[in-house]
Amino acid sequence: MTERTVGMRPEARRERIEHMVRERERVTVDLLAELLGTSKETVRRDLTDLAERGRIRKIHGGATLIDPRPPETDVEGPFQGRLLQNAEAKRAIARRAIELFEPGDTMFVDTGTTTLLFAEQLASASGLTVITNSAAIAALAARGSSNATFLIGGEYRADGTENLGPLAIEQIGHFHATHAVLAVGSIETVGILDFDVREADVARAMIAQARSITVLADASKFGRGGLIKVASLDAVSRVVTEGEPPQEIAGALSDAGVSIVKAA
């Protein structure tokens, strides 16, 4: 579908381009020019402007999503491998989740592959306050217009670009937020679970300092069999997912008063 931009101000057109890049992940100059009804030269200038502001990554003949990792963490590891698993579902969850928040909201965001993709959406949001233990998530959130971003300190783990340990827990205790947005290892009838002791400690600390808990979980996380209990289901306000929980888990979520928010 062609989206004609005759008479559209440059900033509005660039916002449209950024939105298309985020929706499609990779676009060409030719496609953008056709969809927007403008010249290729104009599109190239727009892409240059957006790239210089860190909104997209300009490549030969088009643009793609920015790499969410800071340059110094450009290494392969287990976290990067998980980032590729169920990526489309996780992106759909991230796009749906950002719609649940509005300017003025304060939120903790913990480290996870789905919350990292959620942070890509934070990069185009505005007026939010984000507190996170992830350097990569902080870098993305800070790109949002008028967003305030706080990076929790602690022992640094390069694979997930995250800070952990007693210092991180202590610093989380200095904040109070309306929301905590969490990635989890598993959702079971007994609660939300994780596989890493120190990441579970961070999630518990964020839950204790937030009024509403939003869990981002693709369908593979239901009944996965996590190792460490983070919280009971009645501590969770809502789960954003693209899938359907198994009947037993769906019943437990309903009994605990947890809302299921479906991602397209």
Side-chain angles (χ1 to χ4, degrees):
M1 180 176 66
T2 301
E3 301 189 35
R4 298 291 170 182
T5 60
V6 176
M8 181 179 289
R9 297 179 63 177
E11 189 56 36
R13 187 179 60 248
R14 288 163 188 165
E15 288 179 3
R16 186 76 59 81
I17 290 173
E18 182 181 354
H19 177 75
M20 289 180 181
V21 173
R22 293 190 180 281
E23 286 292 316
R24 298 168 182 261
E25 300 185 21
R26 181 185 294 263
V27 293
T28 65
V29 170
D30 290 345
L31 177 62
L32 288 171
E34 178 181 350
L35 292 176
L36 296 171
T38 191
S39 69
K40 296 177 185 178
E41 291 74 15
T42 297
V43 169
R44 291 190 186 97
R45 286 195 298 269
D46 289 341
L47 294 181
T48 297
D49 177 82
L50 289 167
E52 288 175 349
R53 290 190 283 147
R55 313 298 293 189
I56 54 95
R57 183 163 68 93
K58 190 177 180 182
I59 59 175
H60 179 69
T64 187
L65 291 171
I66 54 176
D67 188 337
R69 295 170 293 172
E72 62 270 20
T73 65
D74 191 18
V75 294
E76 291 294 325
F79 184 89
Q80 295 305 323
R82 295 197 305 274
L83 191 60
L84 300 176
Q85 296 172 0
N86 303 319
E88 286 305 311
K90 292 173 181 177
R91 288 194 188 281
I93 290 166
R95 288 193 294 268
R96 180 66 181 94
I98 197 64
E99 297 173 355
L100 304 175
F101 305 99
E102 58 187 24
D105 281 345
T106 58
M107 66 180 73
F108 291 104
V109 182
D110 76 345
T111 303
T113 56
T114 311
T115 47
L116 182 59
L117 295 174
F118 173 70
E120 289 185 348
Q121 302 300 314
L122 290 174
S124 57
S126 62
L128 300 172
T129 297
V130 178
I131 308 122
T132 181
N133 67 317
S134 165
I137 289 173
L140 285 166
R143 291 176 177 148
S145 173
S146 70
N147 285 348
T149 307
F150 296 87
L151 177 60
I152 296 298
E155 180 185 351
Y156 182 70
R157 180 188 286 176
D159 180 44
T161 72
E162 62 183 330
N163 295 321
L164 300 165
L167 181 58
I169 303 303
E170 177 188 350
Q171 290 188 14
I172 289 169
H174 293 301
F175 294 90
H176 290 273
T178 309
H179 304 279
V181 182
L182 307 176
V184 295
S186 179
I187 298 177
E188 309 288 339
T189 57
V190 297
I192 55 174
L193 292 86
D194 212 328
F195 296 94
D196 186 287
V197 173
R198 294 194 295 171
E199 289 184 348
D201 287 342
V202 166
R204 287 193 204 98
M206 291 180 173
I207 289 170
Q209 300 299 110
R211 294 203 301 265
S212 176
I213 311 304
T214 299
V215 170
L216 310 184
D218 67 81
S220 72
K221 301 297 177 65
F222 293 115
R224 191 179 179 188
L227 181 64
I228 302 141
K229 186 175 179 179
V230 175
S232 299
L233 292 181
D234 57 12
V236 178
S237 306
R238 56 198 177 193
V239 173
V240 186
T241 182
E242 93 295 358
E244 293 289 344
Q247 185 174 359
E248 187 177 12
I249 294 176
L253 289 166
S254 178
D255 291 344
V258 180
S259 299
I260 303 295
V261 180
K262 292 302 294 291

